Structure formats: C-alpha cells, structure tokens
Amino acid sequence: MTDFRIAARLLRWLTGTVCLVALTGTPAAASGSAAGQTDDGPRTRSGPVSHVLGTAPRPELKPSLPQDAATCTTSTGPYQEEVEDHLGLVVDGVQSAGDCSVIQEFQRKLGIVPDQGYAGLFTYRAVMWERAVAEGDAIAGCPDTSGTVVCVDMNRQILWVEDAGKVIFRPVPARTGSPDYPTRTGWHQIFDRQKEFWSTLYEGPMPFAQFFDGGQALHGSYRNIWEDPGSHGCVNLRYDEAKALWNGLRLGDEVYVWGRRTGG
C-alpha cells in the first residue's frame, strides 16, 4: 500500500476522519532546464514527508533591502488586485513601492522569475495555488469517485489527489501543455510507470513518469514550474512533488483533466 493511502487509512481508524495529506509549499531544490519534457509518442496500455492539509504558514513578508529597490517595477500588473488581496495589501489595483516590495518577497519565496514585484501571470498562478491549498476538501472541479483520482485543473495550473471525494494529496503547482501541444482533457487511467524515463522524441528526462494517455504523463521537471512555455502535453511537476506522487499512486488509478491553460 502506498504512502498517502496508508496515512489516510490510519487516520480514519484513529479518528474516524480522513487524513488530508499534503506536501510542504517549498519549491524543489532542482533547477535548470530539461529540453523536451513530454510526449514520447504512442504507448500501449500495460495492464514524503506529509502534513495535514491546511495553509502552509507564509513567512512574514519583510520590506526589500535598499539594494533591491532599483529592481522593483513601478508598473501595475494585469493581476494587481488579486495579488494585493492575497498578500493583505490595500486593494486599489495600482502598483506602489510598498506593493512592489511585498510582491517581490512573495516571488522570491516561491522562486518566481523575474522577481521584480510585477503582478503578472506567473505570480497570479502562485496565488491561485495558495488559495487552492486553503480550500481543503471544499476544492471544486474534480468529480467524486469511489476510488483514487488525480485531479488536474488546467485553469489554475494545479494538481491534487482525492480518494472517495476527500483530498489525500493537497494541491501542488503543475504545468500542462502549451496551446500547440495541449494536454488531453477528460478521464484517463495510469497505464505505465517509469521511474527514470528518457523521451527519445524530445531528448529530455521525465523522472517519475506516470503515463495516462499515449505519451502524455505526470512527471517531474527541472524547469521552473511557474514559467512559460507549457509542456509538450505532459503534466509537469516540481521534482520532489513528482516523487511524492509516484510513491502514492499505482497502475489503474484514474486521472481527470479539465480546463485550459492561460498563457504560452
């Protein structure tokens, strides 16, 4: 039995409730770029430290150091109000020096690049992820089933896992296919798992690959998870989170994909 299934069942027995298992919000340590993360072509069907779900405490966002001031942008971003609201700033939709400083610290905490305090798409995706974590079992979009289902919300670019409608792996950031290489929506099943897979089509690594539709898979990525462009169709995850997902899933588990990726 896999890690977060064991934890969920143990807490059911101990407390009569479902264990809501989650990763920390810490970005994976791996960085860099891996060319061609996805779609190795047609494949045939073959047959962690965790926390109780909740909002991970956000470190106090302190003003930037004086030497950082020059890198802060004065431009108002397209998601200014949403970011201001999430970070507890005055919601006026207008960038200020104080806004920039706090947004910049938020970006640096999560490894968002560029980290100039601009409330753009990458920062908005991070806000959507943190809000999703806070929703707990109330998170919407994934149909309830009697078993395990991996929920891939392309609108918010997040992934989580439910078991009989209860969250057992809390939302983590994901990168789905670009407009030219869309991730296929609908119901799928994990039919092949390769811990160390190399894409011969795109000449790139796909660690902890779990294939759910042809050459499209859930797998780890060495790229910054917040950046564009999207994948070639796979669902990219930060390395440590892909590893934790690998330890919790098995062949035959369902994957449900919906929505559309905004941006590249």
PDB file of all heavy atoms in Angstrom, residues 167-187:
ATOM      1  N   VAL A 167      -9.605  14.946  -0.076  1.00  0.00           N
ATOM      2  CA  VAL A 167      -8.266  15.291  -0.552  1.00  0.00           C
ATOM      3  C   VAL A 167      -7.233  14.523   0.269  1.00  0.00           C
ATOM      4  O   VAL A 167      -7.177  14.652   1.493  1.00  0.00           O
ATOM      5  CB  VAL A 167      -8.015  16.806  -0.449  1.00  0.00           C
ATOM      6  CG1 VAL A 167      -6.577  17.136  -0.848  1.00  0.00           C
ATOM      7  CG2 VAL A 167      -8.998  17.576  -1.320  1.00  0.00           C
ATOM      8  N   ILE A 168      -6.410  13.719  -0.406  1.00  0.00           N
ATOM      9  CA  ILE A 168      -5.347  12.984   0.286  1.00  0.00           C
ATOM     10  C   ILE A 168      -3.955  13.453  -0.136  1.00  0.00           C
ATOM     11  O   ILE A 168      -2.954  13.030   0.440  1.00  0.00           O
ATOM     12  CB  ILE A 168      -5.483  11.456   0.071  1.00  0.00           C
ATOM     13  CG1 ILE A 168      -5.403  11.092  -1.405  1.00  0.00           C
ATOM     14  CG2 ILE A 168      -6.763  10.941   0.698  1.00  0.00           C
ATOM     15  CD1 ILE A 168      -5.333   9.590  -1.667  1.00  0.00           C
ATOM     16  N   PHE A 169      -3.899  14.288  -1.159  1.00  0.00           N
ATOM     17  CA  PHE A 169      -2.633  14.888  -1.608  1.00  0.00           C
ATOM     18  C   PHE A 169      -3.005  16.297  -2.021  1.00  0.00           C
ATOM     19  O   PHE A 169      -3.688  16.499  -3.021  1.00  0.00           O
ATOM     20  CB  PHE A 169      -2.069  14.087  -2.782  1.00  0.00           C
ATOM     21  CG  PHE A 169      -0.726  14.532  -3.286  1.00  0.00           C
ATOM     22  CD1 PHE A 169       0.443  14.040  -2.732  1.00  0.00           C
ATOM     23  CD2 PHE A 169      -0.625  15.423  -4.353  1.00  0.00           C
ATOM     24  CE1 PHE A 169       1.689  14.435  -3.224  1.00  0.00           C
ATOM     25  CE2 PHE A 169       0.605  15.827  -4.845  1.00  0.00           C
ATOM     26  CZ  PHE A 169       1.768  15.317  -4.279  1.00  0.00           C
ATOM     27  N   ARG A 170      -2.605  17.274  -1.239  1.00  0.00           N
ATOM     28  CA  ARG A 170      -3.126  18.613  -1.441  1.00  0.00           C
ATOM     29  C   ARG A 170      -2.583  19.242  -2.721  1.00  0.00           C
ATOM     30  O   ARG A 170      -1.604  18.772  -3.294  1.00  0.00           O
ATOM     31  CB  ARG A 170      -2.813  19.497  -0.234  1.00  0.00           C
ATOM     32  CG  ARG A 170      -1.412  20.046  -0.175  1.00  0.00           C
ATOM     33  CD  ARG A 170      -1.254  20.972   1.022  1.00  0.00           C
ATOM     34  NE  ARG A 170       0.079  21.554   1.036  1.00  0.00           N
ATOM     35  CZ  ARG A 170       0.533  22.317   2.017  1.00  0.00           C
ATOM     36  NH1 ARG A 170      -0.227  22.575   3.052  1.00  0.00           N
ATOM     37  NH2 ARG A 170       1.753  22.826   1.962  1.00  0.00           N
ATOM     38  N   PRO A 171      -3.211  20.318  -3.188  1.00  0.00           N
ATOM     39  CA  PRO A 171      -2.813  20.913  -4.466  1.00  0.00           C
ATOM     40  C   PRO A 171      -1.345  21.315  -4.527  1.00  0.00           C
ATOM     41  O   PRO A 171      -0.800  21.870  -3.570  1.00  0.00           O
ATOM     42  CB  PRO A 171      -3.730  22.138  -4.569  1.00  0.00           C
ATOM     43  CG  PRO A 171      -4.933  21.770  -3.778  1.00  0.00           C
ATOM     44  CD  PRO A 171      -4.407  20.966  -2.628  1.00  0.00           C
ATOM     45  N   VAL A 172      -0.741  21.033  -5.680  1.00  0.00           N
ATOM     46  CA  VAL A 172       0.625  21.458  -5.968  1.00  0.00           C
ATOM     47  C   VAL A 172       0.634  22.131  -7.340  1.00  0.00           C
ATOM     48  O   VAL A 172      -0.238  21.875  -8.165  1.00  0.00           O
ATOM     49  CB  VAL A 172       1.618  20.261  -5.956  1.00  0.00           C
ATOM     50  CG1 VAL A 172       1.702  19.637  -4.568  1.00  0.00           C
ATOM     51  CG2 VAL A 172       1.234  19.211  -6.998  1.00  0.00           C
ATOM     52  N   PRO A 173       1.603  23.011  -7.597  1.00  0.00           N
ATOM     53  CA  PRO A 173       1.673  23.653  -8.912  1.00  0.00           C
ATOM     54  C   PRO A 173       1.954  22.635 -10.012  1.00  0.00           C
ATOM     55  O   PRO A 173       2.691  21.669  -9.817  1.00  0.00           O
ATOM     56  CB  PRO A 173       2.849  24.632  -8.765  1.00  0.00           C
ATOM     57  CG  PRO A 173       3.070  24.773  -7.294  1.00  0.00           C
ATOM     58  CD  PRO A 173       2.670  23.477  -6.687  1.00  0.00           C
ATOM     59  N   ALA A 174       1.375  22.873 -11.173  1.00  0.00           N
ATOM     60  CA  ALA A 174       1.577  21.998 -12.327  1.00  0.00           C
ATOM     61  C   ALA A 174       1.744  22.856 -13.573  1.00  0.00           C
ATOM     62  O   ALA A 174       1.324  24.013 -13.608  1.00  0.00           O
ATOM     63  CB  ALA A 174       0.393  21.048 -12.502  1.00  0.00           C
ATOM     64  N   ARG A 175       2.376  22.280 -14.595  1.00  0.00           N
ATOM     65  CA  ARG A 175       2.491  22.949 -15.892  1.00  0.00           C
ATOM     66  C   ARG A 175       1.975  21.983 -16.943  1.00  0.00           C
ATOM     67  O   ARG A 175       2.557  20.921 -17.162  1.00  0.00           O
ATOM     68  CB  ARG A 175       3.935  23.353 -16.192  1.00  0.00           C
ATOM     69  CG  ARG A 175       4.095  24.028 -17.552  1.00  0.00           C
ATOM     70  CD  ARG A 175       5.497  24.562 -17.815  1.00  0.00           C
ATOM     71  NE  ARG A 175       6.514  23.586 -17.536  1.00  0.00           N
ATOM     72  CZ  ARG A 175       7.447  23.718 -16.565  1.00  0.00           C
ATOM     73  NH1 ARG A 175       7.473  24.796 -15.809  1.00  0.00           N
ATOM     74  NH2 ARG A 175       8.345  22.783 -16.354  1.00  0.00           N
ATOM     75  N   THR A 176       0.883  22.344 -17.583  1.00  0.00           N
ATOM     76  CA  THR A 176       0.293  21.473 -18.598  1.00  0.00           C
ATOM     77  C   THR A 176       0.707  21.929 -19.998  1.00  0.00           C
ATOM     78  O   THR A 176       1.518  22.833 -20.151  1.00  0.00           O
ATOM     79  CB  THR A 176      -1.234  21.446 -18.463  1.00  0.00           C
ATOM     80  OG1 THR A 176      -1.761  22.783 -18.642  1.00  0.00           O
ATOM     81  CG2 THR A 176      -1.643  20.930 -17.081  1.00  0.00           C
ATOM     82  N   GLY A 177       0.138  21.298 -21.008  1.00  0.00           N
ATOM     83  CA  GLY A 177       0.566  21.521 -22.376  1.00  0.00           C
ATOM     84  C   GLY A 177       0.309  22.929 -22.890  1.00  0.00           C
ATOM     85  O   GLY A 177      -0.679  23.577 -22.540  1.00  0.00           O
ATOM     86  N   SER A 178       1.209  23.387 -23.739  1.00  0.00           N
ATOM     87  CA  SER A 178       1.057  24.691 -24.388  1.00  0.00           C
ATOM     88  C   SER A 178      -0.073  24.603 -25.415  1.00  0.00           C
ATOM     89  O   SER A 178      -0.544  23.514 -25.752  1.00  0.00           O
ATOM     90  CB  SER A 178       2.361  25.076 -25.080  1.00  0.00           C
ATOM     91  OG  SER A 178       2.605  24.202 -26.184  1.00  0.00           O
ATOM     92  N   PRO A 179      -0.533  25.751 -25.946  1.00  0.00           N
ATOM     93  CA  PRO A 179      -1.600  25.714 -26.953  1.00  0.00           C
ATOM     94  C   PRO A 179      -1.268  24.834 -28.158  1.00  0.00           C
ATOM     95  O   PRO A 179      -2.160  24.230 -28.755  1.00  0.00           O
ATOM     96  CB  PRO A 179      -1.745  27.190 -27.352  1.00  0.00           C
ATOM     97  CG  PRO A 179      -1.326  27.948 -26.133  1.00  0.00           C
ATOM     98  CD  PRO A 179      -0.196  27.144 -25.551  1.00  0.00           C
ATOM     99  N   ASP A 180      -0.001  24.746 -28.516  1.00  0.00           N
ATOM    100  CA  ASP A 180       0.391  23.921 -29.664  1.00  0.00           C
ATOM    101  C   ASP A 180       0.468  22.436 -29.316  1.00  0.00           C
ATOM    102  O   ASP A 180       0.426  21.582 -30.209  1.00  0.00           O
ATOM    103  CB  ASP A 180       1.739  24.378 -30.210  1.00  0.00           C
ATOM    104  CG  ASP A 180       1.675  25.748 -30.849  1.00  0.00           C
ATOM    105  OD1 ASP A 180       0.570  26.142 -31.294  1.00  0.00           O
ATOM    106  OD2 ASP A 180       2.707  26.438 -30.894  1.00  0.00           O
ATOM    107  N   TYR A 181       0.606  22.127 -28.028  1.00  0.00           N
ATOM    108  CA  TYR A 181       0.709  20.736 -27.575  1.00  0.00           C
ATOM    109  C   TYR A 181      -0.204  20.541 -26.366  1.00  0.00           C
ATOM    110  O   TYR A 181       0.267  20.334 -25.248  1.00  0.00           O
ATOM    111  CB  TYR A 181       2.150  20.395 -27.187  1.00  0.00           C
ATOM    112  CG  TYR A 181       3.154  20.556 -28.292  1.00  0.00           C
ATOM    113  CD1 TYR A 181       3.862  21.765 -28.438  1.00  0.00           C
ATOM    114  CD2 TYR A 181       3.431  19.516 -29.178  1.00  0.00           C
ATOM    115  CE1 TYR A 181       4.799  21.917 -29.445  1.00  0.00           C
ATOM    116  CE2 TYR A 181       4.367  19.666 -30.182  1.00  0.00           C
ATOM    117  CZ  TYR A 181       5.045  20.867 -30.312  1.00  0.00           C
ATOM    118  OH  TYR A 181       5.983  21.016 -31.310  1.00  0.00           O
ATOM    119  N   PRO A 182      -1.519  20.615 -26.566  1.00  0.00           N
ATOM    120  CA  PRO A 182      -2.431  20.602 -25.419  1.00  0.00           C
ATOM    121  C   PRO A 182      -2.469  19.256 -24.693  1.00  0.00           C
ATOM    122  O   PRO A 182      -2.370  18.192 -25.307  1.00  0.00           O
ATOM    123  CB  PRO A 182      -3.790  20.911 -26.048  1.00  0.00           C
ATOM    124  CG  PRO A 182      -3.664  20.440 -27.473  1.00  0.00           C
ATOM    125  CD  PRO A 182      -2.242  20.710 -27.856  1.00  0.00           C
ATOM    126  N   THR A 183      -2.599  19.334 -23.377  1.00  0.00           N
ATOM    127  CA  THR A 183      -2.859  18.142 -22.578  1.00  0.00           C
ATOM    128  C   THR A 183      -4.299  17.718 -22.839  1.00  0.00           C
ATOM    129  O   THR A 183      -5.212  18.547 -22.827  1.00  0.00           O
ATOM    130  CB  THR A 183      -2.666  18.448 -21.077  1.00  0.00           C
ATOM    131  OG1 THR A 183      -1.338  18.936 -20.874  1.00  0.00           O
ATOM    132  CG2 THR A 183      -2.885  17.206 -20.231  1.00  0.00           C
ATOM    133  N   ARG A 184      -4.510  16.444 -23.068  1.00  0.00           N
ATOM    134  CA  ARG A 184      -5.842  15.961 -23.429  1.00  0.00           C
ATOM    135  C   ARG A 184      -6.751  15.906 -22.194  1.00  0.00           C
ATOM    136  O   ARG A 184      -6.376  15.363 -21.160  1.00  0.00           O
ATOM    137  CB  ARG A 184      -5.745  14.605 -24.114  1.00  0.00           C
ATOM    138  CG  ARG A 184      -5.091  14.704 -25.503  1.00  0.00           C
ATOM    139  CD  ARG A 184      -5.041  13.377 -26.215  1.00  0.00           C
ATOM    140  NE  ARG A 184      -3.913  12.562 -25.800  1.00  0.00           N
ATOM    141  CZ  ARG A 184      -2.676  12.655 -26.303  1.00  0.00           C
ATOM    142  NH1 ARG A 184      -2.413  13.559 -27.227  1.00  0.00           N
ATOM    143  NH2 ARG A 184      -1.711  11.849 -25.884  1.00  0.00           N
ATOM    144  N   THR A 185      -7.935  16.467 -22.356  1.00  0.00           N
ATOM    145  CA  THR A 185      -8.879  16.540 -21.248  1.00  0.00           C
ATOM    146  C   THR A 185      -9.671  15.240 -21.115  1.00  0.00           C
ATOM    147  O   THR A 185      -9.613  14.360 -21.976  1.00  0.00           O
ATOM    148  CB  THR A 185      -9.857  17.717 -21.444  1.00  0.00           C
ATOM    149  OG1 THR A 185     -10.540  17.551 -22.699  1.00  0.00           O
ATOM    150  CG2 THR A 185      -9.114  19.039 -21.455  1.00  0.00           C
ATOM    151  N   GLY A 186     -10.416  15.145 -20.014  1.00  0.00           N
ATOM    152  CA  GLY A 186     -11.293  14.002 -19.792  1.00  0.00           C
ATOM    153  C   GLY A 186     -10.715  12.985 -18.831  1.00  0.00           C
ATOM    154  O   GLY A 186      -9.747  13.246 -18.121  1.00  0.00           O
ATOM    155  N   TRP A 187     -11.328  11.803 -18.831  1.00  0.00           N
ATOM    156  CA  TRP A 187     -10.935  10.713 -17.934  1.00  0.00           C
ATOM    157  C   TRP A 187      -9.843   9.858 -18.554  1.00  0.00           C
ATOM    158  O   TRP A 187      -9.903   9.519 -19.731  1.00  0.00           O
ATOM    159  CB  TRP A 187     -12.131   9.833 -17.616  1.00  0.00           C
ATOM    160  CG  TRP A 187     -13.084  10.454 -16.644  1.00  0.00           C
ATOM    161  CD1 TRP A 187     -14.262  11.077 -16.927  1.00  0.00           C
ATOM    162  CD2 TRP A 187     -12.930  10.508 -15.219  1.00  0.00           C
ATOM    163  NE1 TRP A 187     -14.861  11.520 -15.776  1.00  0.00           N
ATOM    164  CE2 TRP A 187     -14.068  11.184 -14.709  1.00  0.00           C
ATOM    165  CE3 TRP A 187     -11.952  10.060 -14.335  1.00  0.00           C
ATOM    166  CZ2 TRP A 187     -14.252  11.419 -13.348  1.00  0.00           C
ATOM    167  CZ3 TRP A 187     -12.136  10.288 -12.982  1.00  0.00           C
ATOM    168  CH2 TRP A 187     -13.267  10.957 -12.498  1.00  0.00           C
TER     169      TRP A 187
END
